[in-house]
Amino acid sequence: MGDQVVFGRVIADFGEVRLRPVDPEGDLDVIHGWVSQERARFWGMRDAGRNRVAEIYRYLDSLPTHHAWLALRDGAPAALFQTYQADADPVGEVYPVLPGDHGIHFLIGPPARPEPGFTGHFFELLVDFVFADPTHHRIVAEPDARNERAQARLRRTGFVDGPLVDLPDKRARLMFLDRVAAGR
């Protein structure tokens, strides 16, 4: 599973970016290393041990409605994405889900060095990947209401603000990106 590329491209002056399913065991060192950092506090696993992180990703891997993806740059892990059917997730209980709504979570790994455009390239990959499925008409994101950086990144990508909502583990800002408005 760990080497099964599902989406990718070569980006001039950046490199080859690919997306593959997370291997809950094989990718554990990378994922645990990222989610336990202070910069990932809104991911909600900062204090989770390795066994708990593995358990979470094994569970996610068992669901037909939720998927975890590792984004690679020139073969090296660079970002962690999750996609899900909005109507099969707690977020679907706090807003009127439309046919074709598809949710995302994203965590950009720490780059080796600060690099302009790094996050943007991976965000475009995620958006293009979700919209590659013609049944997905709108992307839903629900960053923590306190996570201004994530909200700003989503807005720069074209997402529009929705309401503040209460989810089981956080107060969140719903944000939406419509396929037509995104030109996809």
Side-chain angles (χ1 to χ4, degrees):
M1 169 186 353
D3 59 355
Q4 177 191 2
V5 173
V6 297
F7 195 78
R9 66 172 57 106
V10 174
I11 300 172
D13 299 321
F14 188 73
E16 181 181 31
V17 291
R18 297 178 297 148
L19 201 58
R20 67 162 174 81
V22 162
D23 175 345
E25 307 306 325
D27 295 326
L28 181 57
D29 288 341
V30 169
I31 293 171
H32 181 262
W34 290 351
V35 301
S36 61
Q37 293 180 10
E38 171 59 25
R39 64 185 294 282
R41 66 190 169 281
F42 295 116
W43 198 254
M45 290 191 242
R46 195 163 159 255
D47 296 323
R50 289 175 48 79
N51 290 341
R52 179 67 180 134
V53 171
E55 179 182 287
I56 290 167
Y57 281 91
R58 280 192 302 270
Y59 173 71
L60 193 62
D61 193 44
S62 76
L63 299 174
T65 57
H66 292 64
H67 304 284
W69 311 99
L70 194 64
L72 308 167
R73 178 186 187 189
D74 294 330
L80 176 64
F81 301 139
Q82 294 175 3
T83 58
Y84 60 89
Q85 293 175 9
D87 60 355
D89 190 82
V91 75
E93 298 174 17
V94 298
Y95 85 98
V97 177
L98 298 178
D101 279 2
H102 206 72
I104 62 166
H105 297 288
F106 58 93
L107 177 63
I108 305 300
R113 62 186 179 351
E115 185 176 353
F118 185 87
T119 299
H121 288 308
F122 285 102
F123 225 84
E124 287 298 319
L125 179 77
L126 176 60
V127 168
D128 289 347
F129 171 66
V130 172
F131 282 144
D133 183 329
T135 67
H136 299 160
H137 302 294
R138 184 169 70 160
I139 300 176
V140 180
E142 24 86 11
D144 190 291
R146 300 166 296 169
N147 192 344
E148 284 297 325
R149 291 184 71 193
Q151 292 176 53
R153 172 76 259 168
L154 289 159
R155 287 182 195 108
R156 284 193 306 273
T157 306
F159 281 75
V160 296
D161 288 6
L164 287 171
V165 297
D166 291 313
L167 293 171
D169 58 343
K170 65 183 176 184
R171 179 121 173 107
R173 164 71 64 195
L174 289 182
M175 301 182 78
F176 302 94
L177 180 64
D178 179 84
R179 173 191 290 279
V180 174
R184 310 267 194 329

